Amino acid sequence: MTTAPPRPRAARFATFMFFGLNGFAMGMWVVHIPNVERATGISHSTLGALLLVLGGAAFAGMQISGPLVDRLGHRRLVPAAGVLLGLAVCAPGFANSWWTLGLSLILFGFGNGAIDVGMNSHAVVVERAYPRPIMAAFHAMWSIGGAFAAVIGAATLGAAVPTGVTLTCTGLLCVLLSLASARFLMEPSDAPAAVTDAAEAAPGRRRTPGRVVWLLGLLALALMLSEGVANDWAALHMEKVLGTSSSTAALAYGAFAVAMTTGRFLTDRVAAWAGPAAIVRYGAALAAVGLSIAAAAPWVPLSLVGWALFGLGLSGGVPQLFTAAGNLDTRASGALMARVVGLGYVGLLAGPALIGGLTRWMPLNVTFAVPVVLCVLAAVFAGVLSPKPEPAEQPVG
């Protein structure tokens, strides 16, 4: 098998669509947070609490949608989650108090969690029909969607378009494209017979591998916690530790994000040659080196190199973990995916808060030792992605 048949190709395009839409919806929400905060009249601390509510609702959406996607199928759950996300992203634009915003974020978080698990589970199904890894490119598309949101959001904010109007247009786009893409999605039964038989017969997929899925989840937590640290603290590190201007400080996150997106577009081809365990092992090691350079560098250019290496190192690991989780047991792919994605999401939320708490007792750049250690541990335990084959049965007599 050297090329994918038409059905997987269409399903791959539809999956790109859902990843891009999810990144776009999340990005449009993020760039409008200051406007929503002003419109509702809430304080920074109240906003922080409501963002935790959003995160909790997303985690709940992941855990509920995982078993549902196994039961209902991708053609039902993924578009339904996309429609829910589209409807939910409109609501914060019309919130006028803390409790209306809270209700909006519960709905938005739940929809985001549901589509996160659904589209990743579907991506695993599509990847099975391909002769090479393709998961990392889907995650790169999520980043591209967020980048488009930043540009379009900046334009609408500059033109003084009301937040409710912008988010409503975003929501309608999500709804329409989710419904239009539904017919192109695949179920495991749609895969070629040879692919399905190989997946069922692969070592470790004959029973639900509880211990392995939790190890994968802990690795996802470690890597996504590190990613969360970069998202929230890279620019502040440049400004507070190296004394740069705000505009220069923004380059730190820019270097990280560009390197991560580029790395995700390159990861699939490298993974096809080196294997998923090598991507996680050497990528996490590179991330540890990069963040150490960024934290210790006395000069801005060297620190930017460190942040770029950090993003490049982290770029390929999480997609490999999600693929491994979805392939552990083809009968419960969604439920297993929900555990790993959920733990990773916990890390993404916990990382910035953990670093913020540690800054009470130590300098910001010293706190980066936590994600560095986690990256080293991820490199050490990356072998979980290369399960040992089951021993052959000994002949009797």
Side-chain angles (χ1 to χ4, degrees):
M1 183 177 181
T2 56
T3 60
R7 178 81 196 203
R9 288 202 298 270
R12 184 187 185 192
F13 180 80
T15 310
F16 274 124
M17 186 73 68
F18 279 105
F19 272 84
L21 279 176
N22 185 216
F24 184 74
M26 287 298 297
M28 291 299 280
W29 152 246
V30 168
V31 299
H32 286 89
I33 285 178
N35 275 12
V36 172
E37 184 183 38
R38 284 191 294 270
T40 54
I42 60 176
S43 64
H44 292 330
S45 59
T46 301
L47 175 63
L50 291 177
L51 291 177
L52 288 178
V53 170
L54 183 151
F59 184 82
M62 292 173 187
Q63 304 315 305
I64 292 173
S65 64
L68 281 179
V69 75
D70 295 325
R71 178 175 300 181
L72 301 177
H74 298 95
R75 288 196 196 98
R76 294 180 180 177
L77 186 131
V78 178
V83 170
L84 176 59
L85 181 70
L87 296 175
V89 76
C90 305
F94 300 97
N96 55 14
S97 63
W98 70 266
W99 65 269
T100 55
L101 179 59
L103 291 175
S104 301
L105 294 184
I106 289 173
L107 186 64
F108 183 46
F110 190 91
N112 183 59
I115 196 171
D116 202 337
V117 168
M119 67 189 186
N120 274 289
S121 177
H122 182 258
V124 172
V125 173
V126 176
E127 189 177 46
R128 289 183 196 140
Y130 270 76
R132 63 186 187 279
I134 59 174
M135 175 66 88
F138 293 135
H139 287 252
M141 194 64 190
W142 192 96
S143 301
I144 295 296
F148 272 108
V151 173
I152 295 174
T156 58
L157 288 169
V161 177
T163 300
V165 173
T166 303
L167 294 184
T168 297
C169 291
T170 301
L172 289 175
L173 180 67
C174 289
V175 170
L176 292 175
L177 291 181
S178 294
L179 295 175
S181 302
R183 61 190 294 264
F184 300 108
L185 301 181
M186 286 178 62
E187 303 294 352
S189 58
D190 297 327
V195 173
T196 304
D197 294 343
E200 293 294 337
R205 295 176 189 160
R206 297 174 185 170
R207 59 185 182 276
T208 302
R211 187 176 70 89
V212 175
V213 75
W214 289 115
L215 286 173
L216 292 173
L218 290 174
L219 288 175
L221 186 150
L223 295 181
M224 292 182 72
L225 185 150
S226 301
E227 181 181 344
V229 169
N231 291 342
D232 284 32
W233 292 101
L236 282 171
H237 164 259
M238 293 283 284
E239 185 174 347
K240 302 299 182 183
V241 176
L242 296 181
T244 68
S245 65
S246 298
S247 57
T248 301
L251 295 176
Y253 176 71
F256 171 84
V258 169
M260 172 168 273
T261 304
T262 303
R264 283 179 169 169
F265 277 118
L266 300 175
T267 291
D268 289 328
R269 296 189 179 277
V270 179
W273 168 70
I279 293 293
V280 175
R281 179 178 296 113
Y282 297 112
L286 178 62
V289 172
L291 185 55
S292 298
I293 292 173
W299 308 292
V300 170
L302 183 59
S303 184
L304 291 175
V305 169
W307 284 113
L309 291 176
F310 188 45
L312 186 63
L314 290 179
S315 62
V318 170
Q320 308 308 309
L321 296 173
F322 287 180
T323 293
N327 283 324
L328 283 173
D329 188 336
T330 55
R331 300 161 301 178
S333 180
L336 295 172
M337 180 77 72
R339 296 183 199 176
V340 176
V341 176
L343 281 172
Y345 197 77
V346 168
L348 192 67
L349 294 175
L354 176 62
I355 296 300
L358 290 175
T359 56
R360 298 179 181 178
W361 297 286
M362 61 187 72
L364 177 58
N365 56 338
V366 176
T367 67
F368 290 163
V370 173
V372 167
V373 170
L374 289 176
C375 288
V376 171
L377 290 174
V380 171
F381 291 100
V384 71
L385 279 88
S386 300
K388 296 180 181 179
E390 295 180 356
E393 296 183 3
Q394 298 296 324
V396 178

